[in-house]
Amino acid sequence: MSAHLILGGARSGKSRLAETLAQDSGLPVTVIATAEALDPEMAERIRRHREDRPAAWRVVETPVALAQALRDEAHEGRCVIVDCVTLWLMNLMVGAELLPAPLDAHHLPRFLAERTALLDCVLQLPGPILLVANEVGLGLVPETPLGRLFRDEAGRMNQALAGLCEKVTFVAAGLPLALKG
């Protein structure tokens, strides 16, 4: 197992770094994409990502069942990119806006189950795994309780994954900074 967490802000170069590392591995690559095309702008982003990837790379789209997709796709002799953990986390928080105050994602059963499944499987996966995630806690404090809940859960997820991963890299302005490993 070789898990590598790649963190950064929007358009920081984190996905590009993951793709370069995967390409440089010399292994067949699977990309697990978590985004959903719920509006025209996101559909365009997804289209551009597809066009930028090598045609030989396998792409698996899974907005929620990330741990299962990783168990299915991770193999010795194959590099897997997850792009992105933060979008996956957002997909799990559907319905959080209906929770009574104070908002707490731990009242979302699917959130808990999927988060636990991911954290439980990361160390057991064969082959190199590149996990791409946004570092959302560096900006302004969100105005809404739901925004603050999402920021907090993203930070908790990044901390948990960083604790498990062999390597952690922060990317800013296309420049990688090794934080661990």
mmCIF file of all heavy atoms in Angstrom, residues 155-181:
data_model
loop_
_atom_site.group_PDB
_atom_site.id
_atom_site.type_symbol
_atom_site.label_atom_id
_atom_site.label_comp_id
_atom_site.label_asym_id
_atom_site.label_seq_id
_atom_site.Cartn_x
_atom_site.Cartn_y
_atom_site.Cartn_z
ATOM 1 N N GLY A 155 -12.105 19.512 6.724
ATOM 2 C CA GLY A 155 -10.878 19.582 7.518
ATOM 3 C C GLY A 155 -10.642 18.315 8.323
ATOM 4 O O GLY A 155 -9.521 17.801 8.392
ATOM 5 N N ARG A 156 -11.706 17.796 8.926
ATOM 6 C CA ARG A 156 -11.577 16.543 9.693
ATOM 7 C C ARG A 156 -11.178 15.386 8.786
ATOM 8 O O ARG A 156 -10.356 14.546 9.145
ATOM 9 C CB ARG A 156 -12.890 16.236 10.401
ATOM 10 C CG ARG A 156 -13.169 17.128 11.585
ATOM 11 C CD ARG A 156 -14.451 16.702 12.316
ATOM 12 N NE ARG A 156 -14.774 17.687 13.320
ATOM 13 C CZ ARG A 156 -15.765 18.579 13.234
ATOM 14 N NH1 ARG A 156 -16.559 18.585 12.169
ATOM 15 N NH2 ARG A 156 -15.977 19.447 14.188
ATOM 16 N N MET A 157 -11.782 15.328 7.585
ATOM 17 C CA MET A 157 -11.455 14.254 6.649
ATOM 18 C C MET A 157 -9.999 14.353 6.214
ATOM 19 O O MET A 157 -9.285 13.357 6.167
ATOM 20 C CB MET A 157 -12.388 14.297 5.437
ATOM 21 C CG MET A 157 -12.061 13.272 4.370
ATOM 22 S SD MET A 157 -12.069 11.551 4.941
ATOM 23 C CE MET A 157 -13.820 11.308 5.187
ATOM 24 N N ASN A 158 -9.554 15.564 5.880
ATOM 25 C CA ASN A 158 -8.166 15.736 5.470
ATOM 26 C C ASN A 158 -7.204 15.325 6.579
ATOM 27 O O ASN A 158 -6.185 14.679 6.318
ATOM 28 C CB ASN A 158 -7.904 17.183 5.038
ATOM 29 C CG ASN A 158 -8.555 17.527 3.714
ATOM 30 O OD1 ASN A 158 -9.011 16.655 2.973
ATOM 31 N ND2 ASN A 158 -8.622 18.811 3.420
ATOM 32 N N GLN A 159 -7.517 15.684 7.812
ATOM 33 C CA GLN A 159 -6.657 15.293 8.932
ATOM 34 C C GLN A 159 -6.617 13.776 9.094
ATOM 35 O O GLN A 159 -5.549 13.196 9.310
ATOM 36 C CB GLN A 159 -7.152 15.915 10.237
ATOM 37 C CG GLN A 159 -6.899 17.387 10.349
ATOM 38 C CD GLN A 159 -7.319 17.903 11.708
ATOM 39 O OE1 GLN A 159 -6.809 17.436 12.736
ATOM 40 N NE2 GLN A 159 -8.237 18.850 11.716
ATOM 41 N N ALA A 160 -7.770 13.137 8.995
ATOM 42 C CA ALA A 160 -7.827 11.676 9.154
ATOM 43 C C ALA A 160 -7.043 10.980 8.042
ATOM 44 O O ALA A 160 -6.268 10.046 8.307
ATOM 45 C CB ALA A 160 -9.281 11.205 9.170
ATOM 46 N N LEU A 161 -7.230 11.422 6.804
ATOM 47 C CA LEU A 161 -6.502 10.817 5.698
ATOM 48 C C LEU A 161 -5.001 11.094 5.805
ATOM 49 O O LEU A 161 -4.184 10.207 5.543
ATOM 50 C CB LEU A 161 -7.036 11.319 4.354
ATOM 51 C CG LEU A 161 -8.398 10.761 3.946
ATOM 52 C CD1 LEU A 161 -8.919 11.484 2.708
ATOM 53 C CD2 LEU A 161 -8.324 9.256 3.701
ATOM 54 N N ALA A 162 -4.630 12.301 6.192
ATOM 55 C CA ALA A 162 -3.212 12.628 6.338
ATOM 56 C C ALA A 162 -2.554 11.737 7.383
ATOM 57 O O ALA A 162 -1.400 11.338 7.226
ATOM 58 C CB ALA A 162 -3.040 14.105 6.699
ATOM 59 N N GLY A 163 -3.294 11.408 8.430
ATOM 60 C CA GLY A 163 -2.756 10.520 9.454
ATOM 61 C C GLY A 163 -2.522 9.104 8.936
ATOM 62 O O GLY A 163 -1.620 8.409 9.402
ATOM 63 N N LEU A 164 -3.303 8.682 7.954
ATOM 64 C CA LEU A 164 -3.193 7.334 7.411
ATOM 65 C C LEU A 164 -2.213 7.226 6.242
ATOM 66 O O LEU A 164 -1.609 6.180 6.028
ATOM 67 C CB LEU A 164 -4.567 6.859 6.930
ATOM 68 C CG LEU A 164 -5.637 6.686 7.993
ATOM 69 C CD1 LEU A 164 -6.977 6.371 7.335
ATOM 70 C CD2 LEU A 164 -5.255 5.591 8.979
ATOM 71 N N CYS A 165 -2.091 8.290 5.475
ATOM 72 C CA CYS A 165 -1.298 8.233 4.242
ATOM 73 C C CYS A 165 0.198 8.270 4.524
ATOM 74 O O CYS A 165 0.660 8.970 5.419
ATOM 75 C CB CYS A 165 -1.679 9.390 3.316
ATOM 76 S SG CYS A 165 -3.311 9.191 2.569
ATOM 77 N N GLU A 166 0.920 7.551 3.682
ATOM 78 C CA GLU A 166 2.377 7.524 3.751
ATOM 79 C C GLU A 166 2.971 8.871 3.353
ATOM 80 O O GLU A 166 3.975 9.310 3.901
ATOM 81 C CB GLU A 166 2.861 6.426 2.813
ATOM 82 C CG GLU A 166 4.326 6.165 2.785
ATOM 83 C CD GLU A 166 4.626 5.013 1.847
ATOM 84 O OE1 GLU A 166 4.230 3.875 2.157
ATOM 85 O OE2 GLU A 166 5.252 5.263 0.805
ATOM 86 N N LYS A 167 2.341 9.517 2.367
ATOM 87 C CA LYS A 167 2.796 10.817 1.881
ATOM 88 C C LYS A 167 1.636 11.800 1.886
ATOM 89 O O LYS A 167 0.502 11.430 1.597
ATOM 90 C CB LYS A 167 3.328 10.715 0.453
ATOM 91 C CG LYS A 167 4.591 9.908 0.306
ATOM 92 C CD LYS A 167 5.025 9.913 -1.147
ATOM 93 C CE LYS A 167 6.288 9.101 -1.320
ATOM 94 N NZ LYS A 167 6.734 9.115 -2.731
ATOM 95 N N VAL A 168 1.960 13.077 2.165
ATOM 96 C CA VAL A 168 0.998 14.167 2.061
ATOM 97 C C VAL A 168 1.724 15.335 1.401
ATOM 98 O O VAL A 168 2.817 15.714 1.832
ATOM 99 C CB VAL A 168 0.436 14.600 3.433
ATOM 100 C CG1 VAL A 168 -0.551 15.758 3.276
ATOM 101 C CG2 VAL A 168 -0.212 13.426 4.153
ATOM 102 N N THR A 169 1.107 15.891 0.351
ATOM 103 C CA THR A 169 1.687 17.016 -0.372
ATOM 104 C C THR A 169 0.655 18.129 -0.454
ATOM 105 O O THR A 169 -0.513 17.877 -0.740
ATOM 106 C CB THR A 169 2.102 16.592 -1.804
ATOM 107 O OG1 THR A 169 3.047 15.529 -1.713
ATOM 108 C CG2 THR A 169 2.708 17.750 -2.572
ATOM 109 N N PHE A 170 1.097 19.356 -0.204
ATOM 110 C CA PHE A 170 0.256 20.534 -0.374
ATOM 111 C C PHE A 170 0.715 21.227 -1.652
ATOM 112 O O PHE A 170 1.917 21.429 -1.855
ATOM 113 C CB PHE A 170 0.381 21.475 0.822
ATOM 114 C CG PHE A 170 -0.495 22.686 0.722
ATOM 115 C CD1 PHE A 170 -1.854 22.597 0.998
ATOM 116 C CD2 PHE A 170 0.014 23.909 0.335
ATOM 117 C CE1 PHE A 170 -2.676 23.707 0.892
ATOM 118 C CE2 PHE A 170 -0.798 25.025 0.230
ATOM 119 C CZ PHE A 170 -2.148 24.918 0.510
ATOM 120 N N VAL A 171 -0.239 21.616 -2.504
ATOM 121 C CA VAL A 171 0.090 22.269 -3.768
ATOM 122 C C VAL A 171 -0.486 23.688 -3.759
ATOM 123 O O VAL A 171 -1.667 23.885 -3.463
ATOM 124 C CB VAL A 171 -0.476 21.482 -4.976
ATOM 125 C CG1 VAL A 171 -0.096 22.169 -6.280
ATOM 126 C CG2 VAL A 171 0.008 20.040 -4.958
ATOM 127 N N ALA A 172 0.365 24.656 -4.073
ATOM 128 C CA ALA A 172 -0.066 26.048 -4.219
ATOM 129 C C ALA A 172 0.626 26.609 -5.460
ATOM 130 O O ALA A 172 1.829 26.408 -5.640
ATOM 131 C CB ALA A 172 0.306 26.870 -2.987
ATOM 132 N N ALA A 173 -0.134 27.269 -6.322
ATOM 133 C CA ALA A 173 0.397 27.877 -7.545
ATOM 134 C C ALA A 173 1.177 26.870 -8.376
ATOM 135 O O ALA A 173 2.175 27.199 -9.006
ATOM 136 C CB ALA A 173 1.272 29.086 -7.202
ATOM 137 N N GLY A 174 0.723 25.613 -8.359
ATOM 138 C CA GLY A 174 1.365 24.566 -9.139
ATOM 139 C C GLY A 174 2.636 24.014 -8.535
ATOM 140 O O GLY A 174 3.283 23.157 -9.130
ATOM 141 N N LEU A 175 2.993 24.487 -7.352
ATOM 142 C CA LEU A 175 4.232 24.056 -6.703
ATOM 143 C C LEU A 175 3.914 23.123 -5.535
ATOM 144 O O LEU A 175 3.194 23.501 -4.609
ATOM 145 C CB LEU A 175 5.013 25.252 -6.206
ATOM 146 C CG LEU A 175 5.405 26.281 -7.266
ATOM 147 C CD1 LEU A 175 6.006 27.514 -6.633
ATOM 148 C CD2 LEU A 175 6.372 25.647 -8.269
ATOM 149 N N PRO A 176 4.466 21.897 -5.557
ATOM 150 C CA PRO A 176 4.201 20.960 -4.478
ATOM 151 C C PRO A 176 5.120 21.190 -3.277
ATOM 152 O O PRO A 176 6.304 21.487 -3.433
ATOM 153 C CB PRO A 176 4.501 19.603 -5.129
ATOM 154 C CG PRO A 176 5.494 19.892 -6.199
ATOM 155 C CD PRO A 176 5.197 21.303 -6.659
ATOM 156 N N LEU A 177 4.557 21.070 -2.098
ATOM 157 C CA LEU A 177 5.299 21.168 -0.858
ATOM 158 C C LEU A 177 5.043 19.882 -0.071
ATOM 159 O O LEU A 177 3.892 19.603 0.294
ATOM 160 C CB LEU A 177 4.839 22.386 -0.044
ATOM 161 C CG LEU A 177 5.424 22.537 1.363
ATOM 162 C CD1 LEU A 177 6.925 22.766 1.291
ATOM 163 C CD2 LEU A 177 4.731 23.671 2.090
ATOM 164 N N ALA A 178 6.076 19.088 0.154
ATOM 165 C CA ALA A 178 5.923 17.836 0.891
ATOM 166 C C ALA A 178 5.652 18.155 2.359
ATOM 167 O O ALA A 178 6.422 18.868 3.003
ATOM 168 C CB ALA A 178 7.178 16.984 0.763
ATOM 169 N N LEU A 179 4.539 17.626 2.864
ATOM 170 C CA LEU A 179 4.203 17.802 4.279
ATOM 171 C C LEU A 179 4.542 16.553 5.088
ATOM 172 O O LEU A 179 4.783 16.634 6.287
ATOM 173 C CB LEU A 179 2.705 18.108 4.427
ATOM 174 C CG LEU A 179 2.177 19.353 3.738
ATOM 175 C CD1 LEU A 179 0.682 19.489 3.972
ATOM 176 C CD2 LEU A 179 2.919 20.597 4.221
ATOM 177 N N LYS A 180 4.543 15.397 4.392
ATOM 178 C CA LYS A 180 4.800 14.130 5.080
ATOM 179 C C LYS A 180 5.352 13.148 4.050
ATOM 180 O O LYS A 180 4.857 13.048 2.941
ATOM 181 C CB LYS A 180 3.482 13.584 5.659
ATOM 182 C CG LYS A 180 3.600 12.265 6.373
ATOM 183 C CD LYS A 180 2.217 11.848 6.893
ATOM 184 C CE LYS A 180 2.264 10.473 7.560
ATOM 185 N NZ LYS A 180 0.921 10.075 8.004
ATOM 186 N N GLY A 181 6.385 12.414 4.450
ATOM 187 C CA GLY A 181 6.913 11.333 3.624
ATOM 188 C C GLY A 181 7.924 11.727 2.601
ATOM 189 O O GLY A 181 8.173 12.771 2.159
#
